[in-house]
Amino acid sequence: MAFSSSATGGGGNGYRTSGVGNRGSMKQTTANFKSLSLKSKQQNQNQQPPVVRRSSSLNATAPKDDVDGRVRVAVRLRPRNAEELVADADYADCVELQPEVKRLKLRKNNWDSDTYEFDEVFTDFASQKRVYEVVAKPVVESVLDGYNGTVMAYGQTGTGKTYTLGQLGDEDSSDRGIMVRAMEDIFANISPETDFVSVSYLQIYMETIQDLLDPSNDNIPIVEDPKTGDVSVPGATVWEIRDQSGFLELLQLGEAHRFAANTKLNTESSRSHAILMVQVRRSVIGGEASSSEDDNHNHLGRSCDPPLVRRGKLVVVDLAGSERVQKSGSEGHTLEEAKSINLSLSALGKCINAVAENSPHVPVRDSKLTRLLKDSFGGSARTSLIVTIGPSPRHRGETTSTILFGQRAMKVENMLKIKEEFDYKSLSRKLEIQLDKVIIENERRQKAFDDEIKRITLEAQHHISEVERKFAIELEKERTKCQMEYLDSIKKLEEKWMVNQQDHHSGFTSGPCNREGKTVSDSEELAKVEKLLENESNLRKAAEQEFNYLKAQMVLLTSTGAGGNTELLQLHKMLEDETIEKRKLQEEVSTLQGQLLQLTFEADQMRKNLDKVGSLNGFPNGHSHMENGHNPSFNSLFEQVGLHRILSMLESQDANVRIHAVKVVANLAAEEANQEKIVAAGGLSSLLMLLRSYEDETVRRVAAGALANLAMNEANQELIVAEGGISLLAVTAEDAEDPQTLRMVAGAIANLCGNDKLQTKLRSEGGIRALLGMVRFRHPDVLAQIARGIANFAKCESRAAAQGTKSGKSLLIEDGAMPWIVQYANSEASPIRRHIELALCHLAQHEVNVRDMIAGGALWELVRISRDCSREDIRSLARRTLSSSPTFQAELRRLRIEV
């Protein structure tokens, strides 16, 4: 499908934030190209498969079609992009394609041109499917047969290399590039049960090999087998994949970590060479094995025949585009990237020339790119190269260089070698599995026999137990029966004895006097009860009379005081209404004051933006207005409200008023002229109070930011420490979860770390531990502030040691900061890396820290900084530090490292 690159200006490098199929420069001419593709579909269906033949210039000799290992080269033309349609509207394309005869004419001028032949020539409307089938599919089939294969794209920046190779086709499946289609063919031709596919994705950036699937693995060495000469990267991450969706996820993950930059020739120019390595392991069954091997092993039984395994490796290389600095506008770090890209591409061209000319020496060690592609040019891999060019006559020189590169590559012939071996390990595993099955079956039968014996034994024991239980029950019944009979006999004898006793005393009777005495005692008892009942009745009547009297008195008092109570209640209600109204008015006043603060702040921000726009458009009056009246909105705010009133709003009960007030104080504190007024008015104490007492995340974040602004002044730093600011910031760092709040807290502590007088306080009150504790969130902005604080602290310690006011080991090392410093010394984020590199250099200047730094692995980082750091001053400082330390020098001599 269509691909192009716009020629907008810009600069600066950065990570891609989207997948390989979402490049903005490719989308620009997709619609134009699709229309061309629809017109050519019928023509492509009627065309025969292209005959691959050796291509050369018309003046060269005839091609050799019988050489299977020759590098096949195809050329693809990109359609004009939007910028070229306007700039080159009056000029013809610098190239003319003749796809039917596989020729290309490169116009020198209006009457003269050079003609070149290639294995295939693709016009600007050639489909992605046809490009894949002609260029990459033969290589993929060879990989499935056990050969190594390479597909590579070369060309000027912005000519569609990444589109041809790495397009995902999320929006349109017909846009899928070579990487995606190759993996589809591989998965369609393997068996998931017996075959395996693994993927690694690397990039070569500034002559370092980095793992796109694991960004922390950013310096991978190249290992060369001394016997076979094969080159490998054992330190790269290897993912075994089972389906296409897993591969697409890995491809998107890798592309998100690839370096890109905005240049005048390409808004998203690749700044590194991307290398996709696919390892395919296939088990050959049936008639796929070679006949000679079948003859050698036909006497063995089929069950003992070792399976045949073929191992192929597919390498897809998306080279970074060659560019001329004058046209791309690269500068600064982007210029260094362009130099590295051009040097590696130049080294690749030298190697291809040497191989094509059968030179006795091929300079493959000049670049890591050439070392990795050693097998692709002059080795044993089947290689296809697609060169991409643009039609613009302004880039005729780059187009000519690209075409000549392809012509030289066509002269390279590789010696293809199949990687085929018997899988004795698989056979061993198969026999082990069969043996395990026999052992398991034997164990199962033995266990069944043991279980049967155990069952019979248990049944016998159960039967014996049952008989014993029944015997015991019968014995107990018999004993109980005997006891009952004995008790019955005893009971009968007792009854007879009682009867005899009653008969013995029946002759004795009571007299009449006893009956009369009993009657008298009963009458007296009844009289006492009647008297008690009468007394209780009298007491009850007296209580009822008292209750009626008190009730009458209460009614009388209530009727006489009713008028006074009514007036008192009315006055009390009016007083309550006045209190409620006053509270409402106070709340409305506070709300209006908060809105005034917010509107004033927004008006100030709007005025600043308008002044910036005016200065950019060439209106100096707005700038002079700001210079003559610095912060007019805030001066007006002081006049209308007053700083004391603003600070008093920090204690308001209304959350919105409090938030607006703290935002205004934070913005005032950002300017040095206002800091003294804020501190004098008690603003520092108010901010510390907010940080201590309020749990609202917005208030804490803004208050911490205001403290960070105030902490930039040395006088304010001592006041912050005197009022317990370090301990308060440490507690906030431990409790907060919001990354922006942590960034503000880390910034405040980092500013305090730059004061020589506060070193001991920072450690004793937990400032250093809090700074290192915030590492747990791994947020890049927080880590940058932490690194800045550590660099400031190390610089102060280094200065104190040089002046003789400090001795002993660094407080950072004692608090356990060294492992984190070494871990992030080579961080991908440049602010973190720069501060950590400075911290390492300052720590290493004090000889007492050297042994701990060596034990913690800091020596290797210092050596790397002295060689590879992008800043010359830091490199020089690292070299001076290493050369001036006797301990470092002794360790370097022991390790045989030269600095």
Side-chain angles (χ1 to χ4, degrees):
M1 302 302 293
F3 53 97
S4 65
S5 64
S6 61
T8 59
N13 65 324
Y15 288 111
R16 289 185 176 86
T17 59
S18 60
V20 292
N22 298 324
R23 289 175 175 259
S25 58
M26 295 179 184
K27 292 181 178 179
Q28 190 172 358
T29 58
T30 301
N32 296 334
F33 183 77
K34 283 185 176 180
S35 62
L36 293 173
S37 179
L38 291 173
K39 294 178 183 179
S40 64
K41 277 186 177 179
Q42 187 63 36
Q43 299 176 5
N44 292 338
Q45 291 175 357
N46 298 330
Q47 289 180 353
Q48 296 297 326
V51 178
V52 180
R53 61 190 182 87
R54 185 179 180 86
S55 60
S56 61
S57 174
L58 287 178
N59 299 327
T61 59
K64 299 178 181 179
D65 294 333
D66 56 347
V67 181
D68 293 336
R70 181 178 60 79
V71 175
R72 303 289 171 169
V73 182
V75 62
R76 187 178 194 183
L77 176 65
R78 169 182 60 77
R80 289 193 178 192
N81 55 33
E83 192 271 339
E84 292 171 347
L85 289 174
V86 176
D88 301 335
D90 298 331
Y91 300 93
D93 292 349
C94 67
V95 293
E96 176 185 351
L97 303 184
Q98 296 175 345
E100 62 279 356
V101 292
K102 299 181 177 61
R103 290 180 181 174
L104 176 148
K105 287 187 177 181
L106 179 63
R107 293 190 179 94
K108 295 181 178 180
N109 45 49
N110 292 334
W111 57 87
D112 191 12
S113 63
D114 290 333
T115 304
Y116 301 92
E117 287 186 1
F118 288 92
D119 291 303
E120 189 61 50
V121 174
F122 298 108
T123 61
D124 53 358
F125 50 79
S127 67
Q128 290 279 74
K129 179 179 180 181
R130 182 165 178 267
V131 171
Y132 167 73
E133 290 180 346
V134 174
V135 175
K137 189 167 185 177
V139 178
V140 174
E141 291 174 349
S142 297
V143 171
L144 291 171
D145 289 337
Y147 295 93
N148 289 346
T150 302
V151 179
M152 185 168 64
Y154 177 90
Q156 183 191 7
T157 180
T159 54
K161 299 181 295 300
T162 302
Y163 173 84
T164 301
L165 295 181
Q167 185 78 346
L168 288 179
D170 292 334
E171 299 178 358
D172 188 350
S173 60
S174 62
D175 285 348
R176 303 190 313 277
I178 286 177
M179 290 183 182
V180 179
R181 293 177 185 271
M183 292 305 298
E184 290 175 354
D185 275 359
I186 289 175
F187 283 120
N189 288 277
I190 65 172
S191 172
E193 292 78 13
T194 59
D195 301 337
F196 301 93
V197 178
S198 60
V199 171
S200 297
Y201 200 12
L202 310 174
Q203 71 173 351
I204 302 178
Y205 176 72
M206 301 288 286
E207 279 303 303
T208 60
I209 300 178
Q210 302 178 0
D211 197 332
L212 290 175
L213 303 181
D214 182 8
S216 62
N217 192 7
D218 57 358
N219 193 6
I220 304 174
I222 299 175
V223 178
E224 184 172 350
D225 191 334
K227 295 182 180 179
T228 63
D230 292 339
V231 175
S232 62
V233 280
T237 302
V238 179
W239 285 85
E240 183 177 329
I241 54 177
R242 292 292 183 180
D243 50 30
Q244 185 71 4
S245 61
F247 170 72
L248 292 178
E249 292 177 1
L250 291 179
L251 198 60
Q252 290 174 335
L253 174 65
E255 191 63 21
H257 296 128
R258 192 176 174 190
F259 285 97
N262 184 359
T263 67
K264 292 182 179 179
L265 298 178
N266 192 353
T267 57
E268 202 168 354
S269 174
S270 300
R271 314 309 292 170
S272 64
H273 307 299
I275 302 174
L276 176 70
M277 295 183 178
V278 182
Q279 301 280 352
V280 181
R281 180 185 179 277
R282 293 186 66 207
S283 296
V284 181
I285 59 176
E288 294 185 24
S290 60
S291 59
S292 60
E293 291 162 353
D294 289 340
D295 294 339
N296 293 335
H297 298 279
N298 56 10
H299 62 281
L300 298 176
R302 292 182 59 85
S303 62
C304 295
D305 286 341
L308 193 63
V309 175
R310 289 177 178 169
R311 302 178 186 272
K313 180 173 72 172
L314 174 64
V315 180
V316 183
V317 185
D318 180 11
L319 295 174
S322 61
E323 62 182 58
R324 293 188 178 179
V325 177
Q326 294 178 349
K327 293 184 178 181
S328 65
S330 299
E331 58 184 10
H333 187 68
T334 309
L335 177 60
E336 297 299 324
E337 293 174 337
K339 291 179 181 179
S340 177
I341 292 170
N342 290 337
L343 285 175
S344 62
L345 293 177
S346 175
L348 178 61
K350 291 179 181 178
C351 290
I352 291 176
N353 287 340
V355 174
E357 296 172 1
N358 294 323
S359 174
H361 172 67
V362 180
V364 293
R365 294 187 173 274
D366 288 355
S367 168
K368 291 187 177 180
L369 174 65
T370 55
R371 291 189 67 187
L372 285 178
L373 297 180
K374 177 182 177 182
D375 192 46
S376 303
F377 294 95
S380 60
R382 184 184 296 278
T383 302
S384 287
L385 171 67
I386 181 167
V387 293
T388 57
I389 58 175
S392 175
R394 291 177 297 158
H395 304 307
R396 182 182 289 105
E398 290 83 348
T399 302
T400 302
S401 175
T402 301
I403 291 172
L404 293 178
F405 181 90
Q407 289 288 295
R408 291 192 296 269
M410 293 178 65
K411 299 178 182 179
V412 176
E413 296 180 1
N414 295 339
M415 299 297 293
L416 304 187
K417 180 182 178 182
I418 190 170
K419 293 188 177 180
E420 193 174 66
E421 60 185 18
F422 290 111
D423 192 359
Y424 291 104
K425 292 183 180 179
S426 177
L427 177 61
S428 175
R429 286 195 299 270
K430 180 179 178 182
L431 295 176
E432 286 177 355
I433 291 173
Q434 292 179 357
L435 179 60
D436 290 340
K437 289 181 179 179
V438 172
I439 293 174
I440 291 172
E441 180 65 20
N442 185 33
E443 290 178 349
R444 186 187 65 78
R445 292 181 179 180
Q446 183 65 34
K447 187 176 184 300
F449 177 76
D450 294 340
D451 291 343
E452 184 67 17
I453 296 297
K454 186 176 181 181
R455 184 185 64 79
I456 296 173
T457 304
L458 289 175
E459 288 181 355
Q461 291 176 353
H462 178 71
H463 182 68
I464 295 172
S465 299
E466 186 68 20
V467 172
E468 290 178 349
R469 186 180 65 80
K470 290 180 179 180
F471 176 77
I473 291 173
E474 293 296 330
L475 182 62
E476 184 67 23
K477 287 180 179 179
E478 191 65 26
R479 185 171 64 252
T480 303
K481 183 180 178 182
C482 294
Q483 289 178 353
M484 293 300 294
E485 291 176 352
Y486 173 75
L487 292 174
D488 290 340
S489 301
I490 296 298
K491 186 175 182 181
K492 289 178 181 179
L493 291 173
E494 290 177 350
E495 289 176 354
K496 290 180 179 182
W497 183 79
M498 291 296 295
V499 170
N500 293 331
Q501 289 292 329
Q502 289 177 2
D503 292 340
H504 179 71
H505 294 284
S506 62
F508 298 97
T509 58
S510 298
C513 60
N514 293 332
R515 289 193 298 270
E516 291 176 359
K518 184 176 180 181
T519 304
V520 172
S521 62
D522 291 339
S523 299
E524 292 176 355
E525 187 71 23
L526 181 61
K528 290 180 181 180
V529 172
E530 288 177 352
K531 188 175 181 180
L532 290 174
L533 181 61
E534 185 179 357
N535 292 335
E536 289 293 333
S537 298
N538 294 332
L539 291 173
R540 181 178 179 184
K541 289 180 180 179
E544 287 178 354
Q545 293 175 358
E546 184 71 19
F547 173 77
N548 291 331
Y549 175 77
L550 293 175
K551 185 177 180 181
Q553 293 292 325
M554 186 177 67
V555 171
L556 182 62
L557 290 174
T558 303
S559 61
T560 57
N565 291 336
T566 303
E567 294 179 359
L568 183 62
L569 291 174
Q570 290 178 352
L571 291 174
H572 189 269
K573 184 176 181 181
M574 292 175 62
L575 181 61
E576 289 182 349
D577 292 341
E578 289 293 334
T579 304
I580 294 172
E581 188 68 22
K582 181 179 179 181
R583 188 182 298 111
K584 288 183 179 179
L585 290 175
Q586 289 177 347
E587 290 177 354
E588 290 179 359
V589 169
S590 299
T591 303
L592 291 175
Q593 288 176 344
Q595 293 176 356
L596 174 62
L597 291 175
Q598 180 67 15
L599 291 174
T600 305
F601 172 71
E602 293 176 354
D604 182 67
Q605 296 297 324
M606 178 92 48
R607 186 175 293 106
K608 289 182 178 180
N609 293 334
L610 291 175
D611 291 336
K612 290 180 180 179
V613 173
S615 62
L616 291 174
N617 291 332
F619 302 114
N621 294 332
H623 181 71
S624 62
H625 173 73
M626 289 299 295
E627 292 294 332
N628 296 330
H630 182 63
N631 283 342
S633 61
F634 283 114
N635 291 334
S636 176
L637 185 64
F638 286 151
E639 295 173 0
Q640 295 180 12
V641 181
L643 181 58
H644 289 281
R645 180 58 181 165
I646 295 173
L647 295 177
S648 67
M649 291 180 185
L650 295 177
E651 302 177 3
S652 172
Q653 299 299 322
D654 191 325
N656 292 328
V657 174
R658 189 168 60 250
I659 291 174
H660 294 324
V662 74
K663 285 183 179 179
V664 171
V665 173
N667 282 278
L668 289 172
E671 306 208 9
E672 188 175 357
N674 300 326
Q675 292 181 359
E676 184 177 355
K677 298 178 182 179
I678 293 174
V679 174
L684 177 59
S685 301
S686 299
L687 290 172
L688 291 173
M689 180 270 297
L690 286 178
L691 204 61
R692 180 183 298 107
S693 58
Y694 285 95
E695 296 183 356
D696 183 86
E697 197 63 40
T698 302
V699 173
R700 292 208 303 177
R701 179 173 66 252
V702 181
L707 285 175
N709 291 335
L710 293 176
M712 291 188 293
N713 188 301
E714 185 174 354
N716 296 337
Q717 291 173 357
E718 297 180 358
L719 292 175
I720 291 172
V721 175
E723 295 192 22
I726 295 178
S727 303
L728 188 57
L729 290 170
V731 173
T732 306
E734 183 177 356
D735 295 341
E737 297 292 338
D738 180 42
Q740 297 305 319
T741 303
L742 291 172
R743 181 173 69 88
M744 299 299 181
V745 173
I749 297 177
N751 290 337
L752 296 176
C753 287
N755 193 325
D756 296 342
K757 304 175 183 177
L758 307 179
Q759 301 285 297
T760 307
K761 282 277 189 181
L762 280 168
R763 188 196 182 194
S764 61
E765 297 184 12
I768 299 301
R769 286 193 297 274
L771 196 65
L772 296 175
M774 286 184 280
V775 174
R776 67 185 185 278
F777 289 92
R778 299 185 180 278
H779 193 280
D781 294 339
V782 179
L783 293 177
Q785 295 298 328
I786 295 171
R788 184 170 69 87
I790 289 177
N792 289 343
F793 198 93
K795 184 177 180 180
C796 290
E797 283 192 329
S798 175
R799 186 163 52 239
Q803 295 172 356
T805 59
K806 172 179 172 54
S807 61
K809 193 182 300 182
S810 169
L811 299 180
L812 291 173
I813 295 178
E814 291 183 355
D815 278 357
M818 184 54 63
W820 184 84
I821 294 175
V822 174
Q823 179 183 356
Y824 284 89
N826 198 12
S827 173
E828 294 180 357
S830 58
I832 301 174
R833 184 176 64 253
R834 183 177 68 253
H835 289 307
I836 294 300
E837 288 174 347
L838 281 172
L840 278 173
C841 292
H842 287 306
L843 289 174
Q845 289 180 349
H846 198 20
E847 186 68 21
V848 72
N849 299 329
V850 170
R851 294 198 177 278
D852 291 293
M853 296 183 69
I854 293 175
L859 174 59
W860 299 102
E861 294 301 330
L862 285 170
V863 173
R864 179 191 61 78
I865 294 169
S866 67
R867 295 176 177 176
D868 302 333
C869 182
S870 58
R871 288 182 49 175
E872 178 62 31
D873 55 340
I874 299 179
R875 286 203 308 271
S876 301
L877 181 59
R879 284 195 291 267
R880 289 198 306 270
T881 302
L882 290 173
S883 60
S884 61
S885 170
T887 308
F888 274 140
Q889 286 295 314
E891 185 68 13
L892 290 173
R893 285 194 298 270
R894 187 182 70 82
L895 297 174
R896 299 181 180 178
I897 298 176
E898 296 183 359
V899 180

